[in-house]
Amino acid sequence: MIQDELSKALANVKTPNDVEQIRIRYLGRKGIITNLAKETDFGKLSPEEKKDFGQKLNRLKNFATDRIQEALNRLTAQNTATATVQTHRLIDLTVPGSAGSLGALHPISMVQMELEEIFEGMGFTVLDSPEAETEFNNFESINIPSDHPARDMQDTFWLKNDMVLRTHTSSNQVRALKRFGAPFRGIFPGRCFRYESIDPSHENTFYQCEGLMVDRGISVANLIGVMKTLLSEMFKREVKVRLRPGFFPFVEPGFELDLNCLFCGGSGCPTCGDGWIELIPCGLTHPKVLEFGGIDPREFSGFAFGLGLTRLAMMKYGIRDIRYFNSGDVRFYEQFAPII
Ligand code: FA5
Protein backbone atom coordinates (compact mmCIF):
# COMPACT_ATOMS: atom_id res chain seq x y z
CA MET A 1 0.00 0.00 0.00
CA ILE A 2 1.34 3.40 -0.98
CA GLN A 3 -0.09 5.00 2.21
CA ASP A 4 1.70 2.53 4.48
CA GLU A 5 5.00 2.88 2.66
CA LEU A 6 4.76 6.69 2.81
CA SER A 7 3.87 6.70 6.50
CA LYS A 8 6.77 4.35 7.29
CA ALA A 9 9.22 6.48 5.32
CA LEU A 10 8.05 9.68 7.06
CA ALA A 11 8.36 8.07 10.49
CA ASN A 12 12.12 7.83 10.08
CA VAL A 13 12.90 11.32 8.77
CA LYS A 14 15.47 13.36 10.70
CA THR A 15 15.71 16.58 8.75
CA PRO A 16 13.45 18.75 6.57
CA ASN A 17 15.62 17.64 3.66
CA ASP A 18 14.62 13.98 4.30
CA VAL A 19 10.97 15.07 4.08
CA GLU A 20 11.61 16.93 0.86
CA GLN A 21 13.20 13.81 -0.71
CA ILE A 22 10.04 11.82 0.18
CA ARG A 23 7.80 14.53 -1.22
CA ILE A 24 9.70 14.37 -4.51
CA ARG A 25 9.55 10.55 -4.53
CA TYR A 26 5.74 10.50 -4.15
CA LEU A 27 4.41 13.83 -5.40
CA GLY A 28 7.21 15.09 -7.68
CA ARG A 29 6.83 15.38 -11.47
CA LYS A 30 7.87 11.75 -11.85
CA GLY A 31 6.70 10.71 -8.38
CA ILE A 32 4.90 7.45 -7.53
CA ILE A 33 1.49 9.11 -7.05
CA THR A 34 1.87 11.43 -10.03
CA ASN A 35 2.76 8.46 -12.22
CA LEU A 36 -0.40 6.61 -11.23
CA ALA A 37 -2.41 9.05 -13.33
CA LYS A 38 0.05 8.94 -16.20
CA GLU A 39 0.18 5.14 -16.29
CA THR A 40 -3.60 4.69 -16.36
CA ASP A 41 -5.25 4.36 -19.74
CA PHE A 42 -8.30 6.57 -19.18
CA GLY A 43 -9.72 5.76 -22.64
CA LYS A 44 -10.53 2.28 -21.50
CA LEU A 45 -12.40 3.40 -18.42
CA SER A 46 -16.14 3.99 -18.21
CA PRO A 47 -17.33 7.39 -16.91
CA GLU A 48 -18.13 5.74 -13.57
CA GLU A 49 -14.64 4.22 -13.32
CA LYS A 50 -13.02 7.55 -14.31
CA LYS A 51 -14.89 9.33 -11.54
CA ASP A 52 -13.99 6.68 -9.01
CA PHE A 53 -10.31 6.68 -10.03
CA GLY A 54 -10.15 10.49 -9.92
CA GLN A 55 -11.61 10.61 -6.41
CA LYS A 56 -9.23 7.90 -5.11
CA LEU A 57 -6.23 9.64 -6.67
CA ASN A 58 -7.20 12.95 -5.06
CA ARG A 59 -7.64 11.30 -1.64
CA LEU A 60 -4.21 9.72 -2.03
CA LYS A 61 -2.61 13.08 -2.96
CA ASN A 62 -4.30 14.81 -0.02
CA PHE A 63 -3.21 12.03 2.31
CA ALA A 64 0.39 12.34 1.12
CA THR A 65 0.36 16.15 1.30
CA ASP A 66 -1.07 16.14 4.84
CA ARG A 67 1.38 13.51 6.18
CA ILE A 68 4.31 15.35 4.63
CA GLN A 69 3.23 18.64 6.23
CA GLU A 70 2.75 16.91 9.59
CA ALA A 71 6.26 15.45 9.39
CA LEU A 72 7.66 18.92 8.67
CA ASN A 73 5.74 20.44 11.61
CA ARG A 74 7.03 17.73 13.91
CA LEU A 75 10.63 18.40 12.92
CA THR A 76 10.28 22.17 13.41
CA ALA A 77 8.81 21.67 16.88
CA GLN A 78 11.63 19.30 17.79
CA ASN A 79 14.27 21.77 16.62
CA THR A 80 12.75 24.62 18.62
CA ALA A 81 12.62 22.46 21.74
CA THR A 82 16.27 21.43 21.29
CA ALA A 83 17.34 25.04 20.82
CA THR A 84 15.44 26.07 23.95
CA VAL A 85 17.05 23.30 26.00
CA GLN A 86 20.50 24.29 24.76
CA THR A 87 19.90 27.96 25.60
CA HIS A 88 18.72 27.05 29.05
CA ARG A 89 21.82 24.99 29.57
CA LEU A 90 23.91 28.12 28.93
CA ILE A 91 21.81 30.49 31.01
CA ASP A 92 21.08 29.27 34.50
CA LEU A 93 18.20 31.47 35.53
CA THR A 94 18.56 30.47 39.16
CA VAL A 95 22.04 31.96 39.54
CA PRO A 96 22.00 35.49 41.06
CA GLY A 97 22.91 38.10 38.43
CA SER A 98 26.31 39.74 38.55
CA ALA A 99 26.14 43.46 39.19
CA GLY A 100 27.77 45.66 36.57
CA SER A 101 30.94 47.39 37.67
CA LEU A 102 30.40 51.13 37.86
CA GLY A 103 33.97 52.12 38.63
CA ALA A 104 34.83 54.79 41.14
CA LEU A 105 36.48 58.15 41.30
CA HIS A 106 40.00 58.10 42.68
CA PRO A 107 40.02 59.45 46.26
CA ILE A 108 42.29 62.29 45.16
CA SER A 109 39.79 63.28 42.46
CA MET A 110 37.03 63.29 45.06
CA VAL A 111 38.98 65.53 47.42
CA GLN A 112 40.01 67.78 44.55
CA MET A 113 36.40 68.20 43.43
CA GLU A 114 35.37 69.01 46.98
CA LEU A 115 38.18 71.54 47.31
CA GLU A 116 37.21 73.18 44.05
CA GLU A 117 33.64 73.55 45.24
CA ILE A 118 34.72 75.09 48.54
CA PHE A 119 37.02 77.59 46.85
CA GLU A 120 34.52 78.45 44.14
CA GLY A 121 32.18 79.31 46.99
CA MET A 122 34.77 81.87 48.14
CA GLY A 123 35.06 83.39 44.67
CA PHE A 124 38.20 81.58 43.52
CA THR A 125 38.67 80.51 39.90
CA VAL A 126 39.91 76.94 39.27
CA LEU A 127 42.73 76.78 36.74
CA ASP A 128 44.32 73.86 34.95
CA SER A 129 48.10 73.92 34.52
CA PRO A 130 50.98 71.98 32.89
CA GLU A 131 52.92 69.27 34.71
CA ALA A 132 56.07 69.79 32.62
CA GLU A 133 57.29 73.28 33.41
CA THR A 134 59.99 75.73 32.46
CA GLU A 135 62.74 76.13 35.01
CA PHE A 136 61.76 79.79 35.14
CA ASN A 137 58.17 79.13 36.24
CA ASN A 138 59.06 76.38 38.68
CA PHE A 139 61.96 78.17 40.36
CA GLU A 140 63.20 81.57 39.19
CA SER A 141 59.88 83.38 38.86
CA ILE A 142 59.10 82.60 42.49
CA ASN A 143 62.40 83.87 43.79
CA ILE A 144 64.38 80.61 43.74
CA PRO A 145 67.44 81.42 41.57
CA SER A 146 69.71 78.56 40.48
CA ASP A 147 72.15 79.10 43.35
CA HIS A 148 69.43 79.20 46.02
CA PRO A 149 69.64 76.43 48.67
CA ALA A 150 65.84 75.95 48.43
CA ARG A 151 66.46 74.12 45.15
CA ASP A 152 68.08 71.27 47.04
CA MET A 153 64.87 70.69 48.97
CA GLN A 154 62.96 70.17 45.73
CA ASP A 155 65.11 67.97 43.55
CA THR A 156 63.10 66.71 40.60
CA PHE A 157 63.08 64.99 37.23
CA TRP A 158 64.66 66.98 34.42
CA LEU A 159 63.56 66.47 30.85
CA LYS A 160 65.89 66.45 27.86
CA ASN A 161 64.45 69.73 26.60
CA ASP A 162 65.44 71.49 29.86
CA MET A 163 61.90 71.46 31.18
CA VAL A 164 61.24 70.03 34.65
CA LEU A 165 58.43 67.95 36.07
CA ARG A 166 57.07 70.60 38.40
CA THR A 167 57.96 70.16 42.05
CA HIS A 168 55.02 72.20 43.24
CA THR A 169 51.96 74.01 41.93
CA SER A 170 53.60 77.33 42.91
CA SER A 171 54.93 77.21 39.34
CA ASN A 172 51.63 78.81 38.30
CA GLN A 173 51.77 81.92 40.45
CA VAL A 174 53.57 84.19 38.00
CA ARG A 175 51.89 82.61 34.96
CA ALA A 176 48.47 83.46 36.43
CA LEU A 177 49.44 87.00 37.47
CA LYS A 178 50.87 87.73 34.03
CA ARG A 179 47.75 86.43 32.37
CA PHE A 180 45.01 87.78 34.64
CA GLY A 181 46.64 90.70 36.48
CA ALA A 182 45.29 91.92 39.83
CA PRO A 183 42.97 91.60 41.65
CA PHE A 184 43.18 87.81 41.32
CA ARG A 185 41.74 84.87 43.20
CA GLY A 186 42.48 81.37 41.96
CA ILE A 187 43.47 77.82 42.80
CA PHE A 188 45.58 75.43 40.70
CA PRO A 189 45.21 71.79 41.75
CA GLY A 190 47.51 69.25 40.11
CA ARG A 191 50.16 66.59 40.14
CA CYS A 192 53.71 67.29 41.30
CA PHE A 193 56.92 65.30 41.18
CA ARG A 194 60.00 65.12 43.40
CA TYR A 195 63.07 62.99 43.63
CA GLU A 196 62.06 61.75 47.05
CA SER A 197 62.69 58.87 49.43
CA ILE A 198 59.32 57.19 49.69
CA ASP A 199 57.76 56.50 53.08
CA PRO A 200 54.19 56.47 54.51
CA SER A 201 53.79 60.23 53.95
CA HIS A 202 56.16 60.93 51.03
CA GLU A 203 55.69 59.97 47.38
CA ASN A 204 57.63 60.91 44.26
CA THR A 205 54.33 61.69 42.54
CA PHE A 206 51.71 63.47 44.59
CA TYR A 207 49.09 66.22 44.36
CA GLN A 208 49.05 69.77 45.60
CA CYS A 209 46.54 72.55 45.36
CA GLU A 210 48.00 76.01 45.08
CA GLY A 211 45.99 79.06 46.01
CA LEU A 212 46.74 82.68 45.25
CA MET A 213 44.84 85.79 46.17
CA VAL A 214 46.10 89.24 45.22
CA ASP A 215 44.23 92.43 45.94
CA ARG A 216 44.57 95.74 47.72
CA GLY A 217 45.10 95.42 51.49
CA ILE A 218 45.43 91.61 51.72
CA SER A 219 46.89 90.56 55.10
CA VAL A 220 47.57 87.47 57.22
CA ALA A 221 44.01 87.83 58.60
CA ASN A 222 42.60 87.07 55.11
CA LEU A 223 44.91 84.07 54.81
CA ILE A 224 43.84 82.61 58.16
CA GLY A 225 40.16 83.25 57.39
CA VAL A 226 40.35 81.35 54.10
CA MET A 227 42.31 78.45 55.67
CA LYS A 228 39.78 78.13 58.51
CA THR A 229 36.83 78.06 56.08
CA LEU A 230 38.60 75.46 53.96
CA LEU A 231 39.33 73.08 56.83
CA SER A 232 35.97 73.34 58.58
CA GLU A 233 34.12 72.72 55.31
CA MET A 234 36.41 69.88 54.31
CA PHE A 235 36.29 67.96 57.61
CA LYS A 236 32.77 69.07 58.62
CA ARG A 237 34.01 69.39 62.19
CA GLU A 238 36.46 71.30 64.34
CA VAL A 239 40.04 70.29 63.65
CA LYS A 240 43.09 71.40 65.57
CA VAL A 241 45.71 73.31 63.57
CA ARG A 242 48.89 75.14 64.44
CA LEU A 243 50.64 77.94 62.60
CA ARG A 244 54.40 78.17 62.89
CA PRO A 245 56.98 80.17 60.99
CA GLY A 246 58.14 78.54 57.75
CA PHE A 247 60.58 79.67 55.13
CA PHE A 248 59.76 79.79 51.43
CA PRO A 249 61.57 82.27 49.17
CA PHE A 250 58.29 83.36 47.57
CA VAL A 251 56.42 84.43 50.71
CA GLU A 252 57.22 86.91 53.44
CA PRO A 253 56.28 86.19 56.19
CA GLY A 254 55.93 82.45 55.60
CA PHE A 255 54.08 79.84 57.70
CA GLU A 256 53.52 76.17 58.04
CA LEU A 257 49.95 75.27 58.86
CA ASP A 258 49.96 71.81 60.42
CA LEU A 259 46.94 69.64 61.11
CA ASN A 260 46.72 67.72 64.37
CA CYS A 261 46.96 64.08 63.26
CA LEU A 262 43.50 62.56 62.98
CA PHE A 263 44.88 59.02 63.37
CA CYS A 264 46.62 59.35 66.72
CA GLY A 265 45.03 62.57 68.04
CA GLY A 266 48.47 64.15 68.36
CA SER A 267 50.36 61.53 70.37
CA GLY A 268 52.54 60.50 67.41
CA CYS A 269 52.24 57.56 64.97
CA PRO A 270 53.99 56.12 61.88
CA THR A 271 51.94 58.38 59.60
CA CYS A 272 52.61 61.72 61.27
CA GLY A 273 55.70 61.12 63.38
CA ASP A 274 55.26 63.83 66.01
CA GLY A 275 51.47 64.19 66.11
CA TRP A 276 51.21 66.90 63.44
CA ILE A 277 50.75 66.58 59.67
CA GLU A 278 52.45 69.29 57.64
CA LEU A 279 49.56 70.22 55.39
CA ILE A 280 49.42 73.80 54.17
CA PRO A 281 52.54 75.91 53.84
CA CYS A 282 51.50 79.47 53.16
CA GLY A 283 52.37 83.14 53.55
CA LEU A 284 52.10 86.62 52.13
CA THR A 285 53.28 86.85 48.55
CA HIS A 286 56.84 88.13 48.24
CA PRO A 287 57.03 91.54 46.48
CA LYS A 288 59.48 90.05 43.96
CA VAL A 289 56.90 87.49 42.83
CA LEU A 290 54.35 90.25 42.30
CA GLU A 291 56.92 92.16 40.26
CA PHE A 292 57.70 89.10 38.14
CA GLY A 293 53.96 88.91 37.49
CA GLY A 294 53.83 92.56 36.44
CA ILE A 295 51.97 93.69 39.57
CA ASP A 296 53.02 96.76 41.58
CA PRO A 297 53.73 95.57 45.18
CA ARG A 298 53.16 99.09 46.48
CA GLU A 299 49.54 98.89 45.35
CA PHE A 300 48.74 95.21 45.77
CA SER A 301 49.54 92.51 48.30
CA GLY A 302 48.52 88.88 48.40
CA PHE A 303 48.74 85.51 50.03
CA ALA A 304 49.56 82.09 48.64
CA PHE A 305 49.32 78.57 49.96
CA GLY A 306 50.40 75.15 48.68
CA LEU A 307 48.09 72.57 50.14
CA GLY A 308 49.21 68.92 50.15
CA LEU A 309 46.20 67.46 48.38
CA THR A 310 47.31 63.83 48.70
CA ARG A 311 47.91 64.23 52.42
CA LEU A 312 44.54 65.92 52.80
CA ALA A 313 42.93 62.86 51.15
CA MET A 314 44.79 60.65 53.63
CA MET A 315 43.36 62.57 56.56
CA LYS A 316 39.89 62.80 55.09
CA TYR A 317 39.53 59.08 54.30
CA GLY A 318 41.73 57.61 57.03
CA ILE A 319 44.40 56.31 54.63
CA ARG A 320 47.50 55.67 56.69
CA ASP A 321 49.99 55.12 53.90
CA ILE A 322 50.46 57.42 50.90
CA ARG A 323 51.77 54.52 48.77
CA TYR A 324 48.23 53.14 48.30
CA PHE A 325 47.27 56.04 46.02
CA ASN A 326 49.60 55.09 43.16
CA SER A 327 49.65 51.37 43.91
CA GLY A 328 47.22 50.38 41.15
CA ASP A 329 45.69 47.95 43.66
CA VAL A 330 42.04 47.62 42.66
CA ARG A 331 41.09 46.49 46.18
CA PHE A 332 42.11 49.92 47.44
CA TYR A 333 40.18 51.85 44.79
CA GLU A 334 37.09 49.64 45.09
CA GLN A 335 36.53 50.91 48.60
CA PHE A 336 35.55 54.26 47.11
CA ALA A 337 33.08 52.81 44.61
CA PRO A 338 29.42 53.72 45.13
CA ILE A 339 27.38 50.88 46.66
CA ILE A 340 24.80 49.62 44.17
C1 FA5 B 1 55.82 73.76 48.67
O1 FA5 B 1 55.78 72.94 47.75
C2 FA5 B 1 55.48 75.20 48.44
N1 FA5 B 1 55.38 75.45 47.05
C3 FA5 B 1 54.19 75.52 49.17
C4 FA5 B 1 53.86 76.96 49.31
C5 FA5 B 1 53.00 77.54 48.40
C6 FA5 B 1 54.37 77.70 50.35
C7 FA5 B 1 52.66 78.88 48.51
C8 FA5 B 1 54.03 79.04 50.48
C9 FA5 B 1 53.18 79.60 49.58
P1 FA5 B 1 56.35 71.99 50.50
O2 FA5 B 1 57.59 71.46 49.87
O3 FA5 B 1 56.36 72.04 51.97
O4 FA5 B 1 56.01 73.43 49.93
O5 FA5 B 1 55.10 71.13 50.00
C10 FA5 B 1 53.80 71.54 50.26
C11 FA5 B 1 52.94 70.40 50.70
O6 FA5 B 1 52.95 69.39 49.70
C12 FA5 B 1 53.45 69.70 51.97
O7 FA5 B 1 52.97 70.32 53.12
C13 FA5 B 1 52.90 68.32 51.82
O8 FA5 B 1 51.58 68.25 52.28
C14 FA5 B 1 52.92 68.14 50.32
N2 FA5 B 1 54.11 67.39 49.91
C15 FA5 B 1 55.35 67.84 49.71
N3 FA5 B 1 56.18 66.86 49.35
C16 FA5 B 1 55.44 65.74 49.32
C17 FA5 B 1 55.70 64.37 49.00
N4 FA5 B 1 56.90 63.95 48.62
N5 FA5 B 1 54.69 63.49 49.08
C18 FA5 B 1 53.45 63.90 49.44
N6 FA5 B 1 53.13 65.16 49.72
C19 FA5 B 1 54.10 66.08 49.68
Side-chain angles (χ1 to χ4, degrees), residues 71-85:
L72 269 180
N73 291 349
R74 201 174 61 238
L75 281 181
T76 312
Q78 270 171 7
N79 285 347
T80 311
T82 310
T84 310
V85 168

Side-chain angles (χ1 to χ4, degrees), residues 88-98:
H88 277 258
R89 252 186 230 144
L90 292 175
I91 304 170
D92 182 350
L93 298 177
T94 62
V95 172
S98 53

Side-chain angles (χ1 to χ4, degrees), residues 139-182:
F139 294 119
E140 265 132 61
S141 73
I142 49 171
N143 210 17
I144 313 179
S146 55
D147 57 353
H148 199 288
R151 285 220 180 179
D152 289 342
M153 286 148 60
Q154 297 195 4
D155 201 0
T156 184
F157 305 90
W158 292 78
L159 306 181
K160 282 190 180 148
N161 59 2
D162 287 339
M163 304 273 276
V164 294
L165 293 188
R166 66 177 172 197
T167 57
H168 50 185
T169 42
S170 300
S171 53
N172 295 295
Q173 291 192 12
V174 166
R175 175 188 281 114
L177 291 177
K178 276 186 181 162
R179 181 157 170 214
F180 299 104

Side-chain angles (χ1 to χ4, degrees), residues 40 43 73 111 122 154 174 176 201 207 231 272-273 277 296 298 325:
T40 303
N73 291 349
V111 171
M122 291 190 274
Q154 297 195 4
V174 166
S201 58
Y207 281 74
L231 291 172
C272 64
I277 296 273
D296 185 352
R298 286 164 303 178
F325 289 100

Side-chain angles (χ1 to χ4, degrees), residues 312-327:
L312 184 64
M314 290 172 76
M315 289 293 119
K316 171 113 177 140
Y317 294 115
I319 299 161
R320 284 173 175 268
D321 197 312
I322 200 167
R323 288 167 286 199
Y324 283 119
F325 289 100
N326 296 340
S327 65

Side-chain angles (χ1 to χ4, degrees), residues 127-144:
L127 291 163
D128 207 359
S129 52
E131 292 175 350
E133 261 299 358
T134 59
E135 193 182 344
F136 175 79
N137 278 339
N138 198 78
F139 294 119
E140 265 132 61
S141 73
I142 49 171
N143 210 17
I144 313 179

